[in-house]
Amino acid sequence: MSTVSCSTASSSRGCGTSFPSKTSSLPALNSPNLIRIGTNSQSDRLSSHRLTLVHENRKARSSTVPMALVDERQSTGQNVAHPPRILAYDLVQGDLVKWRWKEDKSVPDTPTAVLLHGILGSGKNWGTFARRLAREFPTWQFLLVDLRCHGDSASLKKRGPHSVASTASDVLKLVGQLRLTPRVLVGHSFGGKVVLSMVEQAAKPLPRPVRAWVLDATPGKVRAGGDGEDHPRELISFLRQLPKVVSSKNEVYNALMEEGFSNDVAQWVVTNLRSTGPSSSSFSWAFDLDGIAELYQSYEDTNLWNFVENLPRGVHVSFLKAERSLHRWALEDLQRIHAAEELASEEGGGVEMHVLEDAGHWVHTDNPDGLFRILSSSFQVLRP
């Protein structure tokens, strides 16, 4: 497995391509390639020789966003551009994907899918699932993004407002700068609305079909936190009351449990605590809680029903409802989606509704096999 590691914190150091050292164990033949773009150097994570590629400076491309959503070839010049500072991301590639350092217009665009996380998550939430997709569909690559105020992107200060629309714009600018042409967009919860906003903002008509997956989220009203369940707004509010620096992860875990949050949520939340230094015993949050509070408010306020009910030609939107996530779906939501299915088919677009059995809101962990089977249809068209 080859790894390209870039640091957005220091542009002068460029990107490094890493190869397994002779003394290290060889990766499995079916291991997908992983390209990590973060805000900090990843060198401490690699047991390999490093070849540094120094890049020429390039001016940022126009803010107009392509996407499949743009008919632009994924290619690089003879020198590799500086890693984008728009957002941090992982790029997981199947074995048959050829990462080209030189422009080669004879090679078709690599089919790309973008996977977006929900509130208080990060691109790593999709890591295991994306690697499975890359093994099964080796001609594809999967872009796992840390959205604004989350993960490694939290240190990349963004101007407000922090909203669904501005988050979508970030991702569109990122894929434009990377010269990717995503054919599939997958968003969980908050990320689902971001996916819808991405397609709404992209130029129309689209030059080629694009499929958007909205996982356990509706285009309009957010119905979260049923009886006895954790409510995201309450969780964000409570976390903002805690000290920004804590002495241990157990301190936060115990505080969440005492406040009545579930064990699963408490364990998940503390994974977002990071050491404040190499020799430090204290921890701070990996995300920007004030910005996330604003994002969640926008998630509740944003209504994209009009877009779903008037899809442009070439856009296919698939909604997935988790069987045990009843509080997030109302009869009105289901009726409007089914009505949109009929209307979209007449207009050359497409709307579909799926139900993931035996799963709560955390669809990619509750029933990864079922989710894999449902999503696979989007990637089978271009199998070798």
Side-chain angles (χ1 to χ4, degrees), residues 121-132:
S122 72
K124 292 184 178 66
N125 296 158
W126 282 109
T128 300
F129 196 85
R131 288 189 290 273
R132 180 177 178 181

Side-chain angles (χ1 to χ4, degrees), residues 331-349:
L331 180 60
E332 175 193 355
D333 297 325
L334 301 177
Q335 290 174 336
R336 291 184 76 170
I337 288 174
H338 287 310
E341 283 182 309
E342 298 177 6
L343 183 61
S345 62
E346 297 173 1
E347 298 297 325

Side-chain angles (χ1 to χ4, degrees), residues 226-294:
D227 293 340
E229 296 200 20
D230 303 295
H231 195 295
R233 178 184 291 281
E234 294 173 357
L235 176 60
I236 294 167
S237 177
F238 180 72
L239 294 178
R240 293 176 75 189
Q241 296 173 26
L242 296 177
K244 292 187 176 181
V245 178
V246 296
S247 59
S248 73
K249 292 185 177 183
N250 281 338
E251 177 184 335
V252 175
Y253 172 84
N254 292 333
L256 288 164
M257 294 298 291
E258 291 174 7
E259 190 66 17
F261 292 101
S262 68
N263 177 63
D264 287 345
V265 164
Q267 289 185 334
W268 167 62
V269 165
V270 298
T271 64
N272 288 288
L273 285 168
R274 296 182 179 174
S275 175
T276 55
S279 58
S280 175
S281 59
S282 59
F283 297 85
S284 61
W285 293 113
F287 40 52
D288 173 2
L289 282 169
D290 291 338
I292 285 176
E294 195 175 338

Side-chain angles (χ1 to χ4, degrees), residues 94-322:
D95 278 347
L96 300 183
V97 173
K98 295 182 180 179
W99 184 255
R100 300 186 307 280
W101 298 112
K102 293 185 178 181
E103 186 173 1
D104 182 0
K105 294 185 178 181
S106 67
V107 179
D109 292 340
T110 299
T112 302
V114 177
L115 307 181
L116 303 183
H117 61 80
I119 284 289
L120 294 174
S122 72
K124 292 184 178 66
N125 296 158
W126 282 109
T128 300
F129 196 85
R131 288 189 290 273
R132 180 177 178 181
L133 286 169
R135 285 190 294 268
E136 182 68 19
F137 306 105
T139 61
W140 282 76
Q141 60 186 5
F142 302 87
L143 184 68
L144 285 54
V145 181
D146 286 354
L147 300 175
R148 63 164 57 206
C149 304
H150 292 79
D152 287 339
S153 294
S155 62
L156 303 173
K157 298 304 180 184
K158 297 288 184 182
R159 293 183 179 179
H162 298 303
S163 64
V164 168
S166 61
T167 304
S169 178
D170 292 341
V171 183
L172 286 170
K173 290 175 182 176
L174 175 64
V175 298
Q177 191 167 5
L178 292 176
R179 299 185 181 182
L180 299 177
T181 304
R183 305 184 186 188
V184 177
L185 310 173
V186 182
H188 174 242
S189 195
F190 171 81
K193 272 194 179 176
V194 173
V195 159
L196 289 177
S197 183
M198 286 173 66
V199 184
E200 182 188 41
Q201 292 181 42
K204 306 169 220 180
L206 302 179
R208 65 177 69 181
V210 61
R211 180 173 293 276
W213 285 88
V214 181
L215 307 183
D216 213 35
T218 66
K221 186 175 181 180
V222 176
R223 300 175 177 86
D227 293 340
E229 296 200 20
D230 303 295
H231 195 295
R233 178 184 291 281
E234 294 173 357
L235 176 60
I236 294 167
S237 177
F238 180 72
L239 294 178
R240 293 176 75 189
Q241 296 173 26
L242 296 177
K244 292 187 176 181
V245 178
V246 296
S247 59
S248 73
K249 292 185 177 183
N250 281 338
E251 177 184 335
V252 175
Y253 172 84
N254 292 333
L256 288 164
M257 294 298 291
E258 291 174 7
E259 190 66 17
F261 292 101
S262 68
N263 177 63
D264 287 345
V265 164
Q267 289 185 334
W268 167 62
V269 165
V270 298
T271 64
N272 288 288
L273 285 168
R274 296 182 179 174
S275 175
T276 55
S279 58
S280 175
S281 59
S282 59
F283 297 85
S284 61
W285 293 113
F287 40 52
D288 173 2
L289 282 169
D290 291 338
I292 285 176
E294 195 175 338
L295 287 174
Y296 187 77
Q297 183 62 56
S298 173
Y299 176 50
E300 290 195 332
D301 294 343
T302 300
N303 190 320
L304 293 165
W305 272 116
N306 183 61
F307 172 68
V308 171
E309 292 170 337
N310 296 276
L311 287 180
R313 183 175 296 274
V315 175
H316 301 267
V317 177
S318 296
F319 291 92
L320 183 139
K321 173 185 177 297

Side-chain angles (χ1 to χ4, degrees), residues 45-66:
R45 301 183 186 179
L46 303 173
S47 173
S48 56
H49 299 302
R50 180 173 296 277
L51 170 65
T52 302
L53 302 173
V54 181
H55 313 311
E56 64 180 359
N57 291 323
R58 292 186 180 178
K59 295 182 180 179
R61 294 177 60 83
S62 165
S63 59
T64 347
V65 194

